[in-house]
């Protein structure tokens, strides 16, 4: 009986490792060197990169260990689904009431996993919405690395993310948002300030100042405290039509 019982588990493990290898190959074609251990991003002590990554592949493997975890994915798609869609719907409704989001906003959710954020946008009437994550979840989420978004320049009016802390290269994370966001477009980030996040985070943020500095083509227009699944700040940026030096 044992071989019969273990066969499904064995097949599942083979499939998971095969998918892991395939995704790593696809997302790491353009090699990035890992930052030096414990070196702050941009020389700012209030944004610290966590140590322990020997290569970009090692970082991707670490992130995929969470994203591909079958128990977590089952929870995200079942027990957590309604709760998270409901809470995100409230966040997005608030943005609409503040004229920061509209039904006509072409929208992107960055690090969307199984797409609760995308489902919430569609629920509140923002139908042209998509998510990206290392692992796709059709039709709500396509495969993509937030350090190198798979989209053309100036493609979206609205971008949202609550995974800034997972960025190994925060400057690339932000520059890709600004590249794909249209002038006048809105970016909303949910972040944790001065509180260590989970073991899959790649950086720690101790004030909003280094985050604001990273947005070279945008201005921060709002900031407020929230209770967002362990994250405590909502920060809103608008991409400028003209940059701070007069050019965009």
């Amino acid at each position: 009986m044992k071989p019969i019982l273990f066969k499904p588990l064995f097949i599942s493990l083979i499939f998971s490792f095969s998918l892991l290898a395939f995704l790593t190959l696809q997302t790491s074609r353009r090699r990035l060197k890992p930052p030096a251990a414990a070196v702050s991003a941009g020389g700012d002590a209030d944004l610290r990169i966590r140590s322990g990554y020997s290569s970009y592949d090692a970082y991707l493997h670490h992130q995929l260990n969470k994203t591909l975890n079958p128990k977590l994915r089952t929870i995200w798609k079942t027990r957590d689904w309604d709760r998270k869609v409901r809470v995100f719907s409230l966040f997005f409704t608030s943005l609409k009431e503040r004229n920061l989001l509209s039904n006509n906003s072409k929208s992107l959710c960055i690090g969307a996993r199984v797409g609760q954020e995308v489902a919430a946008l569609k629920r509140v009437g923002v139908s042209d919405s998509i998510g990206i994550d290392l692992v796709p979840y059709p039709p709500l989420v396509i495969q993509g690395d937030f350090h190198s978004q798979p989209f053309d320049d100036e493609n979206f009016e609205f971008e949202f993310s609550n995974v800034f802390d997972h960025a190994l290269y925060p400057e690339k994370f932000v520059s890709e948002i600004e590249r794909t966001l249209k002038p006048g477009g809105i970016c909303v980030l949910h972040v944790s300030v001065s509180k260590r996040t989970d073991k899959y985070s790649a950086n720690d943020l101790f004030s909003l100042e280094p985050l604001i500095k990273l947005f070279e083509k945008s201005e921060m227009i709002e900031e407020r405290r929230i209770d967002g699944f362990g994250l405590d700040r909502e920060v809103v940026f608008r991409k400028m039509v003209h940059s701070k030096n007069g050019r965009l």
Side-chain angles (χ1 to χ4, degrees), residues 115-129:
Q116 296 107 325
E117 302 96 319
V118 182
L121 280 169
K122 293 180 182 295
R123 176 177 289 186
V124 302
V126 188
S127 58
D128 192 359
S129 305

Side-chain angles (χ1 to χ4, degrees), residues 88-133:
F88 283 126
S89 295
L90 293 174
F91 281 132
F92 295 139
T93 297
S94 174
L95 291 171
K96 291 179 72 175
E97 292 170 349
R98 286 139 60 197
N99 296 317
L100 299 170
L101 175 67
S102 75
N103 288 353
N104 296 322
S105 299
K106 185 177 182 180
S107 301
L108 173 67
C109 294
I110 301 164
R113 293 178 183 161
V114 296
Q116 296 107 325
E117 302 96 319
V118 182
L121 280 169
K122 293 180 182 295
R123 176 177 289 186
V124 302
V126 188
S127 58
D128 192 359
S129 305
I130 194 66
I132 60 168
D133 203 277

